Amino acid sequence: MLFTGRAYPELAHEIADLMKVELVPTRALAYANSEIYVRFEESVRGSDAFVIQSHSAPVNEWVMEQLIMVDALKRASAKRITVVAPFYPYARQDKKHAGREPISARLIADLYKTAGADRLMSVDLHAAQIQGFFDGPVDHLWALPVLAKHVKAQYDTSEMTIVSPDAGRVRLADMWSDQLGCPLAIIHKRRDPNVANTVAVHEVVGDVQGRVCLLVDDMIDTAGTICQAAEALVARGAKSVIAAATHPVLSGPATERLNDSLFEEVIVTNTLAIPPERQFGKLTVLSIAPLIARAIQEVFEDGSVTSLFNGAS
């Protein structure tokens, strides 16, 4: 049985249509004091339940709604409960950078477990170690095949260089490089630990002169990092620059920055809803629903999710 929260029901409907099942009718509302109420309007006893929720802003509200849905399923005797969070909430708070900081990604995993979740499913976790935060199976899906298929169809990969926007994304860029058979370049940058969302680009490591540069990342938030990276690449002779990222967070000035940037195209998936006012001409949105639908089917049939990605996880 498939369930959806109110954050992005369109994605859940697309997944349900692909699987040829109906979403369970759900009554969900917020009381005057902002407390959330959820009730499922048919029996869920003995079901294999998949609770789909996209965690766009306001993140805390949608996390709480999903936790309440999981709790309702547990108390209604669902046999197994899988949390489907295409964009894992608080994923960037996966370790301590300084003393007296939380590890909020671990807290989220604990909350899901305490609420009654048996399993987690997410797409492109910000850090692979998050899989170890949850005491149970975690299906880590990759959007790379979806994004790479579009890039192959639209661009000549023989003149392309894959670029990691920072040292932390090198493994992701390496996977792209293997997938497309392209050379790799890395942008060395430093963040100011005391100022949020500010980046200074330092140096480009690798040959980008006269190349089509594909900047890859797991998410685009305020777009400051990736737009500065594009400028650095063009300044060093890149013929053109495109971007591919899984999660279109697009906070604050992101839309304006990307629209005014040097990118030819910005390719993302629909793990998060993009309201009309956040869309722009250079944006291409690919559907992640077929991938999630296949993964849910494999879990339901006790098949292999890893087989969808040639053994990677």
Side-chain angles (χ1 to χ4, degrees):
M1 299 179 87
L2 297 187
F3 306 81
T4 181
R6 293 172 295 161
Y8 188 15
E10 294 83 0
L11 177 61
H13 280 285
E14 191 178 345
I15 293 167
D17 288 345
L18 288 165
M19 297 184 70
K20 296 181 170 55
V21 300
E22 294 288 328
L23 289 167
V24 174
T26 305
R27 182 167 177 249
L29 54 91
Y31 291 122
N33 69 346
S34 81
E35 290 180 358
I36 296 167
Y37 169 85
V38 173
R39 181 179 184 270
F40 305 118
E41 299 190 323
E42 61 183 61
S43 173
V44 300
R45 184 178 298 274
S47 68
D48 200 346
F50 294 83
V51 186
I52 304 165
Q53 181 81 296
S54 289
H55 296 96
S56 51
V59 175
N60 297 336
E61 181 172 351
W62 302 135
V63 168
M64 197 67 210
E65 182 179 81
Q66 193 173 29
L67 290 169
I68 289 169
M69 292 173 74
V70 170
D71 185 72
L73 286 165
K74 177 180 70 174
R75 295 175 190 283
S77 302
K79 182 178 69 177
R80 179 171 66 171
I81 304 168
T82 300
V83 163
V84 182
F87 177 63
Y88 188 91
Y90 288 88
R92 282 172 285 184
Q93 297 183 37
D94 62 300
K95 58 182 175 289
K96 291 177 68 170
H97 298 276
R100 300 178 299 282
E101 281 187 346
I103 302 179
S104 305
R106 169 60 195 261
L107 173 63
I108 292 292
D110 288 344
L111 288 169
Y112 283 136
K113 188 67 179 179
T114 301
D118 300 296
R119 188 181 197 103
L120 292 187
M121 183 181 292
S122 193
V123 182
D124 281 358
L125 292 168
H126 186 67
Q129 71 206 42
I130 293 172
Q131 294 175 85
F133 291 173
F134 182 75
D135 186 17
V138 177
D139 298 305
H140 187 198
L141 312 183
W142 296 94
L144 174 58
V146 178
L147 295 164
K149 182 179 178 183
H150 175 84
V151 171
K152 283 179 184 175
Q154 297 296 321
Y155 297 93
D156 179 6
T157 55
S158 65
E159 58 175 15
M160 183 174 283
T161 295
I162 308 299
V163 183
S164 171
D166 57 41
R169 298 295 110 194
V170 171
R171 179 169 180 259
L172 174 64
D174 204 32
M175 291 169 65
W176 271 92
S177 184
D178 291 342
Q179 184 90 5
L180 299 181
C182 301
L184 188 64
I186 301 165
I187 292 177
H188 174 62
K189 68 163 193 183
R190 270 183 61 84
R191 285 186 186 273
D192 184 341
N194 299 314
V195 183
N197 297 317
T198 57
V199 172
V201 171
H202 282 267
E203 196 52 69
V204 177
V205 182
D207 181 24
V208 298
Q209 180 78 35
R211 307 283 292 175
V212 176
C213 290
L214 173 62
L215 271 161
V216 296
D217 211 340
D218 64 318
M219 71 177 79
I220 300 176
D221 190 354
T222 59
T225 299
I226 208 158
C227 288
Q228 283 191 25
E231 291 169 8
L233 292 169
V234 171
R236 286 158 179 78
K239 185 166 82 173
S240 62
V241 187
I242 55 178
T246 305
H247 307 298
V249 182
L250 303 181
S251 305
T255 299
E256 292 76 15
R257 283 176 175 171
L258 291 167
N259 204 33
D260 298 338
S261 70
L262 299 172
F263 288 114
E264 277 193 8
E265 184 180 18
V266 178
I267 310 159
V268 299
T269 73
N270 63 341
T271 55
L272 294 166
I274 307 175
E277 66 273 13
R278 290 268 166 202
Q279 297 177 12
F280 52 96
K282 298 177 182 179
L283 185 67
T284 299
V285 183
L286 308 176
S287 178
I288 202 73
L291 177 66
I292 295 175
R294 286 170 62 200
I296 290 174
Q297 196 69 45
E298 290 292 343
V299 170
F300 176 66
E301 295 175 353
D302 293 326
S304 171
V305 174
T306 305
S307 67
L308 302 177
F309 309 101
N310 299 317
S313 65

